[in-house]
């Protein structure tokens, strides 16, 4: 029986995510880890580019279950754009950002509350933290739409 040098279940504890917008998959695939938003000609989630531990699958589920009422098992999969030994780039479905553009305060608050009560899922558990996160994503989705970009996520250990 071999030993796991990363410890535990494959060592995914150290994975970091950076969300950004790009005009297409070819551009997104060229994003190295050190890429800055002005070099990309695009946008990043959060002020100054936010690095987060929140998985894209969690974001997708949060938006689609909380705002769209979609059952968790119907959330569409992410699309792998590039898999490099040091990082990966995935594309989020537009259905994850589009619903956020047109919703008001009450919908964001309701979605945050719904998500905070969903059992057996990762991500923030406190409704206010979810609310803040959804607001950041709402701003991000508006900027993506205005730039004509699609949402991507850079994933690296």
């Amino acid at each position: 029986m071999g030993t796991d040098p990363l410890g535990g279940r494959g060592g995914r504890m150290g994975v970091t995510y950076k969300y950004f917008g790009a005009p297409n998959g070819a551009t997104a695939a060229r994003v190295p880890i050190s890429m800055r938003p002005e070099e990309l000609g695009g946008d990043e989630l959060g002020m100054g580019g936010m690095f987060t531990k929140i998985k894209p699958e969690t974001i997708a589920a949060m938006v689609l279950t909380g705002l769209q009422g979609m059952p968790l098992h119907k959330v569409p999969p992410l699309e792998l754009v590039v898999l490099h030994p040091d990082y990966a780039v995935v594309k989020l479905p537009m259905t994850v950002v589009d619903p956020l553009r047109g919703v008001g305060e009450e919908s964001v608050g309701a979605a945050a509350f719904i998500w905070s009560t969903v059992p057996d899922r990762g991500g923030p558990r406190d409704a206010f933290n979810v609310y803040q996160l959804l607001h950041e994503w709402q701003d991000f989705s508006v900027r993506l739409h205005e730039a004509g970009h699609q949402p991507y996520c850079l994933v690296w250990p």
Side-chain angles (χ1 to χ4, degrees), residues 22 68 73 80 91 130:
Q68 301 291 297
H73 69 278
L80 182 64
K91 178 182 176 189
V130 176

Side-chain angles (χ1 to χ4, degrees), residues 1-13:
M1 184 158 75
T3 59
D4 182 356
L6 298 174
R9 306 179 324 170
R12 287 189 47 90
M13 291 301 289

Side-chain angles (χ1 to χ4, degrees), residues 18 34 87 91 122 152:
K18 184 169 188 157
S34 63
Y87 63 90
K91 178 182 176 189
Y152 293 91

Side-chain angles (χ1 to χ4, degrees), residues 85-151:
D86 298 325
Y87 63 90
V89 175
V90 295
K91 178 182 176 189
L92 284 78
M94 287 304 288
T95 53
V96 173
V97 292
D98 283 346
L100 282 165
R101 283 202 326 271
V103 299
E105 246 352 87
E106 288 180 13
S107 295
V108 174
F113 176 75
I114 290 166
W115 183 256
S116 73
T117 64
V118 173
D120 301 327
R121 48 83 189 112
R125 301 193 188 301
D126 179 81
F128 185 70
N129 290 344
V130 176
Y131 176 80
Q132 289 179 307
L133 180 71
L134 286 173
H135 260 292
E136 289 167 2
W137 270 85
Q138 192 171 36
D139 294 343
F140 182 52
S141 67
V142 168
R143 292 192 310 268
L144 284 178
H145 180 72
E146 289 170 354
H149 288 177
Q150 298 167 28

Side-chain angles (χ1 to χ4, degrees), residues 18-19 35-38 43-51 143:
K18 184 169 188 157
Y19 296 92
M35 182 68 74
R36 305 235 296 275
E38 58 272 14
D43 197 358
E44 290 181 316
L45 176 64
M47 296 302 287
M50 194 162 78
F51 294 87
R143 292 192 310 268

Side-chain angles (χ1 to χ4, degrees), residues 21-61:
N24 53 52
T27 302
R30 290 193 302 268
V31 176
I33 292 170
S34 63
M35 182 68 74
R36 305 235 296 275
E38 58 272 14
E39 295 170 22
L40 181 63
D43 197 358
E44 290 181 316
L45 176 64
M47 296 302 287
M50 194 162 78
F51 294 87
T52 181
K53 295 292 183 183
I54 300 172
K55 297 190 291 187
E57 298 91 338
T58 301
I59 297 292

